[in-house]
Structures are given as C-alpha cells and as structure tokens.
C-alpha cells in the first residue's frame, strides 16, 4: 500500500479545521466543526487548530479562539481572496506539512469539497466524505472514526484510515450543533509564509456574486413535500410561512424540476435539525430520513397506512395531504384570529 | 466528416466524460436479515448527473467538432449501459476494468481514472457529474484534476470555450450566488446536476453503438498502473465496522378523523411544541 507523505508516527495530536469565510464572517459549518473538534480534543488531551487563509482576516482569529481553537494558522495575502482552489490548496498543503496534524476537517461545501478533494490526493491520504459523526479511538493511538450513512436502513458504516495522515473528512453544514462561544478566550497565532506569485496563478475570477441562499439547516420549522404532494409546493409554502419555517423536498420532485435542488432534504441533500418537521407525501426512504432524524418532533401525512415514514414520526396522519394541509392552514389561521 | 473536428489551427478537440453506472435508488432494497444494502435485485442506470456531464460535452462537440470519449472504471456489466452514451453522440468508450480495481476509494478511483485518461493522449476537457449517487459525493472531480495536474471548475451550469486563447470559462454555482471562473485548458469540469436536458438517444445509431469495436477495455496491465495505488490495496480508507444508526425514539402516535379534525389536533400539537 502506498504511504501518505507523513505517517501516524510523525503526526501531531491535533485536529485541524479549515476555516471558511465569506465577507468577513466565518461560515457556520466551520464553527460547527470547531465545536465538535473542541469536544473531541478535550476528551483526548489534543489540540484544536484553525487554518485561516485569506486577506485581512485578522478579525476572524478572535472568533476562532472563542469557538474553541487553541491555535490559528494564518496565511494573509491578497491572492488568497477570494477562494480559489489553486491558491488555497497550495498554501494549505504547505501548512499541513509544517504542522502535521493527525486530523484535517473541512465543511462539505462547494469550496470545502474542492479543497479536500485536491489536498487528499496531493497528500496521498484518505478522505471520508460527508460524515454524520466523528469519534477518536484513543486506544488505537488516535484513529478517527468517521460515520457514514447509506449502507442500509438504520445502519451506518464506520470508516477509518489507520495508516495514513492526516485523516481527512468532510462534514455537511447542520450535522453538528454549535457550542456556545467563549468571548475573550485566546490562543496562539501561527503566521504562515505565502509564496504565491501572481504571474503563476492560472485561475481568473471574472465575476463573482455572493449571496446567502436558503439555509434549511437553520429553519425552526421544515415543511417537506414528497412525490405524494403532486407538485403542490404552493400549499406547503403557505403552511411554512404561517409557521415561520421553510419548505423542503424529497429527491423525486427535485429531479422533476418542481422545486430547487437547494431544498432537497436527505443524504444527498441537506441534513436539518428543526424543532418540527412536517413531512407530506413522502414514503420514508432511509436516504431521506437521514435528513430529518435530528428534528425535535416529526409529523407525517401519508395516504398509505403502511408507509415507513410513520416509523420515524411522532404524529402520523393517514390521509390525503392535499386535504389535510389546507385544513391545517385554515385551523392555524382561525387560531391566529382567536388569539 | 473527419475535418469537422479540426479547428483552423489544426486542433482536433477531445472531450472526455467520466461516467459511472449505479443501482437505481428506488430498487435498492435493504436486506431485513443483514440490514445491508441489497443491490442484487436492483436494475442499474447511468449515474443521472453524468448524463448532464455528457450533454454538456456533446453540445461542445456540436459546436466545435472533435470527439467525445466516455471513460469509466467499473466491472464489465457497465458496458451495455454506457453504450447509451454512444447512441446519444459520443464516439468511443474506454472501460477501465480489472479485478484489481475493485474496492477503490476516492484516492484509488481518481488515480485509476487519471491513468486511463492519460493513456488517451492529449485531451482538452474532462467532464464529470456533480456527484455519484453511491459514491464519494463530489470528491472525484477535484481528486482527478489533481492527479492529472489540470485546472478545475466544479458545479458548472454553463461553459464557454475560447479556442484562440485556449481557456475555458465556467459559471460555477454556489449557495445563493455564482462565480464565473476562467482556467487554461486542459481542465476538469464538474457539471451541476439538472443544468441541461440530456438528449434522447438516436435509435438509428443503436446498431453502430452496440458494435463490439466501440468499446476498449483496459486492464491494470494495459494502464501500467502502480498497483500500490489501485483497488483495495490503494485505498487508505476502510470500512472498520457497521453500527446501528443512533436514531431518536419517536412517539408514533396516530391521529385520526376527518381532515378538519386531524388539522385541529395537529394545530394543538404545534401550539404545544412551539
Ligand atoms: C444514494 C442515494 C441517495 C439518495 N438521497 C436522497 C436524498 O437526499 N433525499 C431523498 O429524499 N431521497 C434520496 N434518495 C431517494 C430515496 O431512496 C427515495 O427514492 C425518495 O426519498 C422517495 O421520495 P418520496 O418519498 O417523495 O417518493 P415515494 O417513495 O414515491 O413516496 C411517495 C409517497 O407519497 C404517498 N402519497 C401519495 N399521494 C399522497 C397524497 N395525496 N397525500 C399523502 N401522501 C401521498 C405515497 O403513499 C408514498 O408513500 C436517494 C437514493 C439513493 C440511492
Ligand atoms: N468509477 C467511476 N468511473 C467513471 N467516473 C466516475 C467514477 N466514479 C466517479 N466518477 C465521476 O465523478 C463524478 C463524481 O463522483 P463522486 O465523487 O463519486 O460523487 C461522477 O459523477 C462521475 O462523473
């Protein structure tokens, strides 16, 4: 078996988190990863480090400390802004060889995936994509166990890479809860040398529009439509608006173009943790259920009394969603008037 | 016909599309005994996002000429599925198939695909799907680009080629926004799922598409791979165990009655929870 550029014996007992940021704000998924890493490191006696690449990123260092980093490795250079996989891979690669972390984590975002995919190959190491949980096995000298779904109903696979370092993994936004920040908490800043030369750079950013898309991971209420609502997302939208929530969907309506892909919930969509999920006309395939299993309360409406979704629901209604949902909208409206 | 693909400077465009065959999601069953995925009974299909990748490559071929090669790493049974791509307008299939390639994770898959693409000779663009429904969720395209030492633009909905400057421009979708990136050729492009309508296959092309000589199968020996980098041997990650997913206990209470009655009960529950 081919070896990674450094092995377990040379690795430092540290978890590194790639800190993604946009317009002077750390991405929430990076804070989620810092929160999780802090908990893992505390149990293991390890260190947590943030890797911060960009330009004029000083204000973000404090945030990283507050969310649990012991160290922040900082590369500050105009060519590191905005994100380009070319520049960030080059600098991250040098930083990793310098710091030799045992674990390196990225958000499973467009940029995080691009970076992780390139880095893993450059480092000749493994990459566990889309983990739903992470653990450290200390008896084996700090082997990272990445939990991955998709191997069967209710079954998760535990993925490890015992002989390769860093142990790389990506985690989707919303999978780990945020801890509370500790303002005033400090740590060590480690500046990184940047040897990028503009004339060697090949990626040109011609145009860039930054926006905040829908973020289903933060919705307090999620109203999900499956194939069984026959495209009536307008009804679900009305209900979601009444409850201050967002609309999500299973994969079939997304594939049919009835609703945008950014609203797909599940294994290949978004993993959510709303207080309430109202699931209408979805059978309850495990690839979908993964996306709502962290919900506080699940309500399901389905015409088929045998639909598996009822196994994953607190309240199950056997009925036609196209009748139940309008009635629920009425009932909620009436209640509002009454209050 | 041949001269069609040659631009004024004599360059013949070569577009590569990486395609994979996956079990149809709705037909994958969970074995009640072992609780593992039972793929045996499931029919397969081309990974749907790869159809968007193929369509994007075919549109460039329609416009600039040249040829489209399909590259796939997988077992021999992939072959008839991939031939649909030929009937849609691709020119040739290269199937990288060897028992030694089995059990590959991202590192080994990208290495093997890269060796296959290198054996094709000069290429201009390598298209991939956004993700495979049973795979590494979008980690193959950047890994492949790294092995090939190509530039990359991922999650692209539109591409433009500038033949004179030999650059490709792509619109890359990001949550709530987009960016337009330009990189030199050759490059790897991953195509945003659903960004185009894959064309139907041309039934008149079917006999041609199913002729044996349309498919070249390359083994580990043909590719002269370093065996330490392929298959299980070349995969740093391993499945070290299976566990019960930590699922929340649900109340599983049935609410019954007319739509109005259930709606009233639901409204009550919602008021308690929120
Ligand atoms: C690798 C992989 C990844 C996947 N990722 C995802 C993912 O991220 N998200 C996802 O959702 N799927 C995913 N899938 C697909 C998944 O397996 C299911 O095919 C999908 O979730 C089914 O969607 P559905 O429940 O809407 O449709 P169906 O399974 O067709 O169910 C429709 C349901 O609606 C009910 N119904 C019909 N009419 C009504 C009515 N009027 N009122 C109420 N109920 C009605 C029916 O009884 C039925 O139960 C994935 C599959 C694979 C293999
Ligand atoms: N075995 C394979 N053969 C050919 N292409 C592949 C293979 N695995 C992945 N790909 C390509 O990489 C894309 C992303 O896959 P993944 O990274 O597995 O989600 C797919 O849409 C394909 O275009």
């Amino acid at each position: 078996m081919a070896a990674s550029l450094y092995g377990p014996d040379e690795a430092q007992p540290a978890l590194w988190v790639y800190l993604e940021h946009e317009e002077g704000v750390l991405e929430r998924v990076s804070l989620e990863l810092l929160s999780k890493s802090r908990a893992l490191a505390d149990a293991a006696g390890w260190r947590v480090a943030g890797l911060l690449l960009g330009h004029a990123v000083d204000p973000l260092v404090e945030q990283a400390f507050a969310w649990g980093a012991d160290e922040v490795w900082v590369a500050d250079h105009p060519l590191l802004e905005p994100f380009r996989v070319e520049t960030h891979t080059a600098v991250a690669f040098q930083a990793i060889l310098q710091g030799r972390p045992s674990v390196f984590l990225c958000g499973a975002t467009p940029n995080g995936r691009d970076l992780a995919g390139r880095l893993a190959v450059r480092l000749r190491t493994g990459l566990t994509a889309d983990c739903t949980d992470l653990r450290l096995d200390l008896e084996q000298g700090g082997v990272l166990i990445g939990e991955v779904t998709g191997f069967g109903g209710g079954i998760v696979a535990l993925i490890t890479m015992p002989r390769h370092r860093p142990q790389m993994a990506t985690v989707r936004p919303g999978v780990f809860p945020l801890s509370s920040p500790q303002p005033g908490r400090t740590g060590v800043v480690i500046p990184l040398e940047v040897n990028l030369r503009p004339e060697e750079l090949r990626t040109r950013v011609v145009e860039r529009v930054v926006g905040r898309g829908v973020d289903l991971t933060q919705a307090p209420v999620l109203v999900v439509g499956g194939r069984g609502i026959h495209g009536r997302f307008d009804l679900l939208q009305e209900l979601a608006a009444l409850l201050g929530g967002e609309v999500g969907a299973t994969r079939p309506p997304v594939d049919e173009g009835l609703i945008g892909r950014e609203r797909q919930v599940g294994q290949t969509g978004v993993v959510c943790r709303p207080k309430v999920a109202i699931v209408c006309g979805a059978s309850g395939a495990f690839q979908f259920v993964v996306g709502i299993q962290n919900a506080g309360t699940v309500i399901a409406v389905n015409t088929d009394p045998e639909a598996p979704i009822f196994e994953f629901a607190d309240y199950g209604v056997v009925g036609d969603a196209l009748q139940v949902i309008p009635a629920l909208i009425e009932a909620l409206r009436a209640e509002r008037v009454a209050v | 016909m041949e001269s069609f693909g040659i631009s004024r400077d004599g360059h013949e465009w070569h577009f590569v599309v990486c395609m994979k065959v996956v079990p149809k999601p709705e037909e994958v069953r969970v074995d009640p005994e072992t609780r593992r995925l039972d793929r045996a009974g499931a029919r397969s299909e081309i990974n749907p996002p790869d159809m968007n990748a193929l369509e994007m490559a075919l549109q460039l071929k329609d416009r600039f000429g040249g040829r489209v090669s399909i590259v796939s790493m997988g077992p021999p049974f992939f072959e008839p599925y991939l031939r649909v791509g030929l009937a849609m307008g691709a020119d040739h299939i290269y199937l990288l198939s060897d028992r030694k390639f089995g059990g590959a994770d991202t590192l080994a898959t990208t290495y093997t695909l890269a060796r296959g693409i290198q054996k094709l000779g000069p290429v201009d663009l390598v298209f991939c799907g956004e993700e495979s429904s049973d795979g590494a969720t979008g980690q193959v395209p950047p890994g492949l680009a790294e092995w090939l030492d190509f530039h990359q633009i991922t999650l692209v909905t539109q591409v433009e080629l500038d033949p004179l400057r030999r650059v490709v421009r792509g619109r890359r979708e990001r949550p709530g926004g987009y960016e337009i990136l330009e990189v030199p050729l050759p490059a790897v492009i991953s195509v945003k799922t659903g960004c185009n309508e894959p064309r139907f296959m041309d039934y008149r092309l079917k006999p041609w598409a199913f002729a044996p000589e349309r498919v070249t199968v390359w083994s580990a020996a043909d590719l002269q791979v370093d065996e330490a980098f392929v298959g299980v041997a070349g995969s740093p990650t391993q499945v070290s165990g299976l566990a019960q997913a930590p699922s929340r206990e649900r109340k599983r209470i049935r609410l019954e009655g007319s739509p109005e009655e259930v709606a009233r009960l639901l409204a009550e529950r919602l008021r308690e929870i929120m």
Side-chain angles (χ1 to χ4, degrees):
Chain A
M1 171 175 287
S4 47
L5 298 194
Y6 62 93
D9 299 342
E10 302 151 287
Q12 295 295 311
L15 296 129
W16 279 30
V17 175
Y18 172 71
L19 299 176
E20 253 190 84
H21 53 93
E22 190 66 77
E23 305 203 302
V25 186
L26 286 180
E27 292 285 335
R28 194 184 159 99
V29 66
S30 301
L31 303 178
E32 291 166 356
L33 288 174
L34 281 176
S35 303
K36 179 68 184 180
S37 298
R38 184 70 264 158
L40 291 173
D42 283 343
W46 284 23
R47 280 173 292 135
V48 175
L51 179 62
L52 182 58
L53 315 181
H55 187 45
V57 285
D58 267 356
L60 302 181
V61 172
E62 259 174 55
Q63 281 184 46
F65 288 142
W67 290 94
D70 301 306
E71 297 166 359
V72 181
W73 296 59
V74 185
D76 203 307
H77 194 282
L79 288 178
L80 290 173
E81 203 78 60
F83 173 92
R84 268 172 283 206
V85 72
E86 187 183 356
T87 56
H88 280 229
T89 307
V91 177
F93 178 72
Q94 287 306 328
I96 289 170
L97 287 187
Q98 202 179 321
R100 300 186 175 240
S102 181
V103 173
F104 187 84
L105 306 175
C106 280
T109 57
N111 291 349
R113 282 181 175 160
D114 273 18
L115 177 79
R118 282 245 174 203
L119 265 181
V121 170
R122 203 168 291 187
L123 292 157
R124 302 287 190 266
T125 192
L127 169 60
T128 311
D130 276 11
C131 297
T132 47
D133 199 8
L134 296 171
R135 267 173 283 158
L136 270 182
D137 184 344
L138 293 174
E139 274 162 29
Q140 286 191 62
V143 165
L144 183 77
I145 305 173
E147 194 185 279
V148 172
T149 57
F151 282 71
I155 297 287
V156 290
L158 306 175
I159 311 285
T160 57
M161 47 194 106
R163 289 184 290 280
H164 293 69
R165 297 294 180 276
Q167 304 171 81
M168 291 187 59
T170 62
V171 179
R172 275 190 291 165
V175 168
F176 293 131
L178 277 185
S179 60
S180 20
Q182 296 177 35
R185 192 178 170 281
T186 59
V188 184
V189 177
I190 301 167
L192 287 162
E193 210 180 306
V194 181
N195 301 315
L196 298 170
R197 286 214 296 276
E199 65 275 14
E200 285 175 2
L201 210 66
R202 290 289 172 266
T203 313
R204 205 157 76 81
V205 182
V206 180
E207 191 181 327
R208 195 158 187 280
V209 174
V210 181
R212 296 263 146 205
V214 276
D215 187 358
L216 294 190
T217 67
Q218 299 313 312
V221 176
L222 193 67
V223 184
V224 183
R227 204 188 325 243
I229 61 135
H230 309 284
R232 291 297 308 274
F233 283 99
D234 55 322
L235 279 177
L236 303 192
Q237 187 58 57
E238 207 176 331
L239 177 60
L242 273 172
L243 295 169
E246 287 285 354
V247 171
T250 63
R251 192 156 93 175
V254 171
D255 284 348
E256 282 170 39
L258 296 168
I259 188 162
R261 195 159 290 277
E262 71 282 1
R263 292 189 187 268
Q264 182 182 318
V265 175
Q267 188 185 317
T268 43
V270 187
V271 175
C272 308
R273 44 177 71 249
K275 270 169 85 174
V276 186
I278 305 175
V279 181
C280 312
S283 56
F286 70 86
Q287 293 97 345
F288 164 70
V289 171
V290 175
I292 53 148
Q293 70 187 12
N294 294 330
T297 300
V298 175
I299 295 170
V301 184
N302 196 306
T303 41
D304 175 7
E306 303 293 321
I309 188 68
F310 290 124
E311 295 292 305
F312 306 100
D314 295 291
Y315 301 102
V317 176
V318 179
D320 182 349
L322 301 181
Q323 292 179 11
V324 174
I325 297 306
L328 180 56
I329 291 170
E330 280 302 305
L332 290 169
R333 286 234 170 88
E335 222 170 63
R336 277 222 177 149
V337 177
V339 182
Chain B
M1 281 298 279
E2 215 57 286
S3 64
F4 237 86
I6 301 177
S7 64
R8 256 164 294 167
D9 59 355
H11 178 72
E12 194 203 2
W13 293 98
H14 191 183
F15 307 114
V16 173
V17 186
C18 294
M19 300 181 80
K20 172 175 185 180
V21 176
V22 295
K24 284 194 174 189
E26 60 274 21
E27 295 188 12
V28 175
R29 283 186 329 108
V30 178
D31 186 317
E33 287 290 298
T34 62
R35 308 205 68 184
R36 300 228 27 197
L37 226 52
D38 174 13
R39 295 180 173 184
R43 278 176 301 172
S44 299
E45 61 181 355
I46 293 178
N47 179 42
D50 300 353
M51 295 296 259
N52 295 120
L54 177 62
E55 177 59 31
M56 195 173 267
L58 291 174
Q59 285 177 11
L60 288 179
K61 178 185 164 181
D62 290 345
R63 185 141 159 240
F64 294 96
R67 62 206 159 95
V68 171
S69 300
I70 292 173
V71 173
S72 186
M73 181 192 82
F77 86 81
F78 276 21
E79 205 190 289
Y81 296 95
L82 296 171
R83 284 181 192 266
V84 170
L86 296 175
M88 287 167 69
D91 296 84
H92 200 83
I93 291 168
Y94 297 88
L95 181 61
L96 319 180
S97 201
D98 196 309
R99 280 184 188 283
K100 290 181 183 139
F101 298 157
D105 72 359
T106 323
L107 189 66
T109 301
T110 52
Y111 171 76
T112 309
L113 286 173
R115 291 311 304 249
I117 291 167
Q118 279 164 342
K119 198 175 159 71
L120 295 179
V123 304
D124 297 291
L125 285 174
V126 177
F127 290 93
C128 289
E130 174 178 350
E131 60 185 19
S132 58
S133 57
D134 67 340
T137 53
Q139 304 291 182
V140 164
L144 179 58
E146 178 68 22
W147 282 113
L148 292 169
D149 198 14
F150 285 10
H151 290 276
Q152 75 186 50
I153 314 179
T154 54
L155 306 173
V156 160
T157 52
Q158 287 163 23
V159 281
E160 262 174 62
L161 267 183
D162 184 337
L164 291 178
R165 289 169 55 230
R166 291 208 36 85
V167 295
V168 60
R169 219 176 236 214
R171 179 185 158 112
R172 176 174 187 251
E173 295 299 322
R174 306 183 56 235
Y178 68 90
E179 55 194 11
I180 294 179
L181 301 176
E182 192 179 273
V183 297
L185 301 174
V188 171
I189 302 286
S190 93
V191 178
K192 186 86 186 148
T193 306
C195 74
N196 55 29
E197 269 304 314
R199 64 194 64 188
F200 290 112
M201 67 168 163
D202 183 342
Y203 281 90
R204 289 165 306 179
L205 283 177
K206 240 183 133 181
W208 176 85
F210 278 80
E213 63 269 28
R214 298 283 101 76
V215 179
T216 303
V217 180
W218 278 334
S219 67
D222 294 326
L223 294 179
Q224 292 180 298
V225 291
D226 178 342
E227 293 200 0
F229 278 106
V230 301
V232 175
S235 298
T237 62
Q238 58 187 50
V239 180
S240 68
L242 296 170
Q244 194 68 39
S247 70
R248 245 178 139 109
E249 266 309 302
R250 295 291 175 190
K251 296 198 181 77
R252 296 196 226 153
I253 298 170
R254 295 281 171 121
L255 303 180
E256 304 192 353
S258 68
E260 290 69 28
E261 281 159 357
V262 248
R264 195 175 43 76
L265 293 172
L266 282 179
E268 263 170 35
R269 294 292 100 77
L270 284 171
R271 189 163 3 109
E272 283 163 20
I273 302 160
M274 295 179 60

